[in-house]
Amino acid sequence: MSTISVKSGKGELTLHKSKQLVGLKSVAARSLEKQAFVEKEVLANLGGFQVVTLEGQNNDIDVQLDKVRKEDVVAVGTHVYFAEGSNRPMIPTGEIYITFEDGVGPDEQQIVLDEYALKIVDRRSTTFLVAKVTAQSPNPLKAAAALQALSLVSTAEPDIDMPMDEYAFVAPNDSLLTHEWHLDNPGFVIDANFQLKKGADSRVISAWNRLGNTGSSSITVAVIDNGFDTNHPDLRGKMHKPYDLWTRTSQLPQGDTRFTHGTPCASVAIAASNGQGIVGAAPGVRFMPIHGTSFSAATTEEMFDYCVRNGADVISCSWGTTDARYSLNAVKEQAIARAAQQGRGGKGCVILYAVGNDDLNYVNYYAAHPDVIAVAASTSQDTHASYSNRGREVTICAPSNGDWPIIAARASWDEGLTWETGNYKFWRDGRSRGDNYKHFGGTSSSTPLVAGICALILSANPSLTAREVKSILQRTADKIGDPSEYDSSGHSLKYGFGRVNADRAVAEALRLKDAAQTTPPAPIPEVTDNISSGRGLFRFDVRKQDAKGWGVQIGAFYEYGNVLIQAEKLQKQFNAPVIVSINELNGKTVYKVTIGAYDSSAAANELLKRVKGAGISCFLRNLSDLA
């Protein structure tokens, strides 16, 4: 098959098989460029494959690929495709995102997976999972197309990779971006002889590429702190409704050497992409600086109420207390809860607090609030930052110092570390990267990093509630550290649910957005005739007690009207009884339709062939499972 159509996002792609290019994976993860059967390497990595042309192009590409697959050094070989009207090579990675119809249970799902020899990689919910092809499977595109035709499957989308350089989106090229290992860790410090762990990062750059931008200008990140340099090149021009809690004006104080913390914190989240210096996790979003941290209950109410009134979507707080004498009272708890539940028009502001840098077995009391995302710190080696507080309230961790620091903006009046001299006041290794910047870290840094990532999540899907954003962070985090440190729910006292993964989080936000845009099923009309209450069976041409043996299941339906229509058509078409199982799923009634009632699976299999021959997707069903 040289042409195939597959689901992609909200639409469909028509793909044409390349007559020249193939994708190869080597056995030992090394380049195949110098192998005798390779004519030329076209792309070093696309979906985990090397894209190459093969020697002997006069031969049929299918024959050539089958021959190369038998080479000892080749682990996997696949065809390369081009979408209609595009010159971008595309490769199926081997994974398929499958959403089953509501009411399709695990047993039925497994029958579908077994039919195409697919293996579950990640189950995301009762109906949504990621599966991968095996050696016995059809190729991923054919498998996805076949799955999409099944009545039990809502969507089956193959994961396809393609080069990113043809997108209109141009990633930031700020001069210090390559130093920002916390966004994309190459395994080393670019200008110092210091080894990092490659991949110990937040996957922010991958998230930008997936999103196609660096955050929406309709999303606002509020940073509540002290000491914002409004003239810093990475902050000026970005500010939206600034507020000073101490003077109750929009004029933020400048130049007080006691207050510098807000500048680096804000920059980690939202520093502008302007071709110079650093860039924040979400440089495309708006920035609401709020100066004046305070223990006062009245001021706590004021700061969060201000954020709600003025449209803050995300609120980042790198401050608090671990002194038990100053834990939150009811007024403060309610102020935070009000913003988290009533902000953003009832969807809730996403509120983040640092867990604290005290090396304690409990977190900052503000971070312990149940509506808050409590952020811990990990290192450039993917280990726990020893200073980062631990506890059951930790939601997630994010890269910060503890091994090698990150680079952040520096307020012009920041005097640096008073016990150091020269460049060591601002730079761990004494090597300056510019007067507007400095080394930075702590949970003060990991928190705004996650705040910026939350802004990317909302840029992908602004309809998400604050609770949904928190859940996405938890579900998509990468587990780091010793697996024994995580409990049965996947939570660690050190890491929370793991190290933040911006790319996976944005991907999940986009998936949920697509899912929400599908038309919801019509409400089921109230029907009383011939239906038993709760679970059970009802008949069209067979009694319930006769519902045993084997039949052919064709689908599951929400609407009783559809069941009646299908049953009448099926009875006439195949001259066989129709049995409908009534099932409860999350408070909804689901009807599973099965044709026939045979004593043996062999007899039912004859009907199966007839039904499939009529172009209807179906499978054998043991009727006793329905009762």
Side-chain angles (χ1 to χ4, degrees):
M1 184 184 296
S2 59
T3 302
I4 190 168
S5 294
V6 295
K7 180 175 174 56
S8 177
K10 300 171 191 172
E12 200 173 72
L13 281 177
T14 299
L15 302 179
H16 301 276
K17 187 190 297 181
S18 172
K19 295 180 180 179
Q20 295 181 312
L21 304 179
V22 297
L24 301 177
K25 282 184 181 180
S26 66
V27 171
R30 61 173 181 261
S31 174
L32 296 169
E33 187 177 6
K34 295 182 180 180
Q35 295 295 322
F37 53 81
V38 173
E39 179 186 58
K40 182 177 65 175
E41 181 184 77
V42 178
L43 290 170
N45 190 313
L46 185 62
F49 292 83
Q50 284 178 258
V51 177
V52 302
T53 57
L54 299 174
E55 288 289 351
Q57 285 292 301
N58 293 330
N59 294 330
D60 181 271
I61 193 69
D62 293 312
V63 174
Q64 282 185 289
L65 183 56
D66 285 342
K67 182 178 178 181
V68 168
R69 283 169 173 153
K70 297 175 183 177
E71 296 283 346
D72 292 339
V73 293
V74 174
V76 183
T78 185
H79 285 288
V80 174
Y81 297 82
F82 291 93
E84 203 163 77
S86 172
N87 63 352
R88 280 181 286 180
M90 308 175 75
I91 275 189
T93 67
E95 294 191 345
I96 305 174
Y97 292 83
I98 305 170
T99 302
F100 287 93
E101 295 287 0
D102 287 341
V104 179
D107 291 345
E108 295 161 300
Q109 293 177 19
Q110 193 59 53
I111 290 172
V112 171
L113 297 175
D114 291 345
E115 177 74 17
Y116 300 100
L118 300 174
K119 181 179 179 181
I120 296 176
V121 175
D122 184 16
R123 178 174 287 282
R124 304 282 178 85
S125 71
T126 56
T127 57
F128 177 59
L129 57 83
V130 184
K132 69 176 181 180
V133 296
T134 64
Q136 290 74 42
S137 303
N139 82 44
L141 300 183
K142 292 180 181 177
L147 288 167
Q148 189 63 66
L150 298 177
S151 62
L152 300 183
V153 174
S154 174
T155 60
E157 183 170 351
D159 186 35
I160 302 174
D161 201 5
M162 71 185 79
M164 300 295 292
D165 56 0
E166 288 194 13
Y167 282 112
F169 166 64
V170 178
N173 62 349
D174 296 56
S175 57
L176 291 177
L177 178 59
T178 54
H179 295 252
E180 295 185 83
W181 64 263
H182 60 291
L183 304 183
D184 185 17
N185 189 336
F188 56 89
V189 179
I190 194 167
D191 60 352
N193 184 23
F194 196 91
Q195 294 297 307
L196 312 177
K197 181 178 180 180
K198 185 176 182 179
D201 57 60
S202 56
R203 307 294 194 273
V204 163
I205 294 179
S206 296
W208 293 340
N209 289 327
R210 183 181 296 276
L211 189 58
N213 60 62
T214 58
S216 169
S217 60
S218 64
I219 300 297
T220 300
V221 174
V223 180
I224 304 175
D225 215 301
N226 300 316
F228 298 100
D229 186 345
T230 59
N231 199 42
H232 193 285
D234 281 322
L235 303 186
R236 65 172 176 246
K238 289 184 63 68
M239 286 179 286
H240 172 72
K241 297 186 177 180
Y243 189 64
D244 181 4
L245 288 159
W246 296 345
T247 64
R248 291 181 169 79
T249 69
S250 62
Q251 300 302 309
L252 304 185
Q254 304 290 288
D256 191 330
T257 57
R258 296 172 299 171
F259 303 118
T260 63
H261 192 246
T263 298
C265 286
S267 73
V268 174
I270 53 80
S273 175
N274 53 15
Q276 59 180 312
I278 67 164
V279 62
V285 306
R286 293 189 298 190
F287 167 43
M288 181 186 293
I290 299 176
H291 173 90
T293 58
S294 174
F295 177 72
S296 161
T299 306
T300 301
E301 287 187 299
E302 184 179 1
M303 64 177 69
F304 284 104
D305 288 348
Y306 182 87
C307 289
V308 171
R309 286 197 312 273
N310 291 279
D313 297 287
V314 180
I315 305 172
S316 181
C317 305
S318 295
W319 48 271
T321 180
T322 53
D323 189 329
R325 294 172 297 175
Y326 308 122
S327 58
L328 275 65
N329 62 18
V331 173
K332 293 179 185 178
E333 289 178 342
Q334 291 164 10
I336 294 172
R338 193 161 55 245
Q341 297 167 19
Q342 298 176 16
R344 299 174 55 238
K347 293 190 289 289
C349 296
V350 179
I351 303 173
L352 304 96
Y353 265 96
V355 300
N357 305 331
D358 312 289
D359 187 21
L360 295 172
N361 288 320
Y362 60 94
V363 303
N364 166 18
Y365 286 110
Y366 289 83
H369 192 289
D371 289 322
V372 159
I373 295 170
V375 185
S378 58
T379 73
S380 59
Q381 302 294 340
D382 253 354
T383 59
H384 173 251
S386 59
Y387 55 79
S388 182
N389 292 343
R390 302 160 294 278
R392 58 185 177 82
E393 297 89 356
V394 177
T395 306
I396 201 162
C397 66
S400 187
N401 72 328
D403 180 60
W404 188 263
I406 75 159
I407 297 178
R410 167 191 163 199
S412 60
W413 59 86
D414 187 342
E415 296 180 341
L417 302 174
T418 56
W419 59 87
E420 293 284 7
T421 59
N423 286 335
Y424 287 97
K425 284 180 171 287
F426 305 102
W427 304 97
R428 167 177 161 169
D429 57 354
R431 183 195 300 265
S432 176
R433 281 84 173 174
D435 291 341
N436 288 321
Y437 303 95
K438 68 175 186 176
H439 274 148
F440 189 55
T443 55
S444 287
S445 176
S446 60
T447 301
L449 174 56
V450 179
I453 291 168
C454 289
L456 296 179
I457 293 171
L458 290 178
S459 297
N461 186 353
S463 297
L464 294 169
T465 66
R467 287 187 177 182
E468 287 172 328
V469 171
K470 184 175 183 178
S471 175
I472 286 173
L473 288 175
Q474 293 171 336
R475 297 198 312 271
T476 60
D478 293 327
K479 296 291 190 278
I480 61 173
D482 190 328
S484 67
E485 295 180 298
Y486 293 85
D487 63 22
S488 59
S489 71
H491 182 268
S492 160
L493 298 177
K494 291 179 180 178
Y495 306 107
F497 286 89
R499 188 223 323 112
V500 67
N501 186 320
D503 186 34
R504 289 184 65 191
V506 165
E508 179 66 359
L510 290 170
R511 186 191 70 79
L512 291 173
K513 181 180 180 181
D514 286 344
Q517 289 174 345
T518 59
T519 304
I524 300 171
E526 184 177 351
V527 179
T528 57
D529 295 340
N530 298 325
I531 297 184
S532 61
S533 60
R535 294 178 57 89
L537 294 172
F538 68 98
R539 59 182 292 276
F540 287 94
D541 196 28
V542 66
R543 293 174 299 171
K544 178 177 177 179
Q545 57 265 37
D546 294 331
K548 57 187 177 181
W550 293 85
V552 177
Q553 184 168 329
I554 65 126
F557 302 88
Y558 269 133
E559 295 190 41
Y560 180 62
N562 283 344
V563 174
L564 292 174
I565 294 169
Q566 290 294 330
E568 185 176 1
K569 288 172 60 178
L570 292 167
Q571 278 184 316
K572 291 178 180 178
Q573 185 174 2
F574 298 105
N575 192 29
V578 173
I579 300 172
V580 179
S581 168
I582 307 172
N583 298 263
E584 285 292 327
L585 180 70
N586 298 327
K588 297 180 180 178
T589 303
V590 178
Y591 305 94
K592 297 180 181 179
V593 178
T594 304
I595 315 169
Y598 299 93
D599 292 334
S600 69
S601 60
N605 197 50
E606 291 301 314
L607 177 61
L608 179 74
K609 293 176 183 177
R610 290 171 55 205
V611 177
K612 282 188 174 182
I616 301 172
S617 60
C618 56
F619 57 90
L620 287 183
R621 161 62 73 184
N622 188 331
L623 298 181
S624 61
D625 292 340
L626 298 175

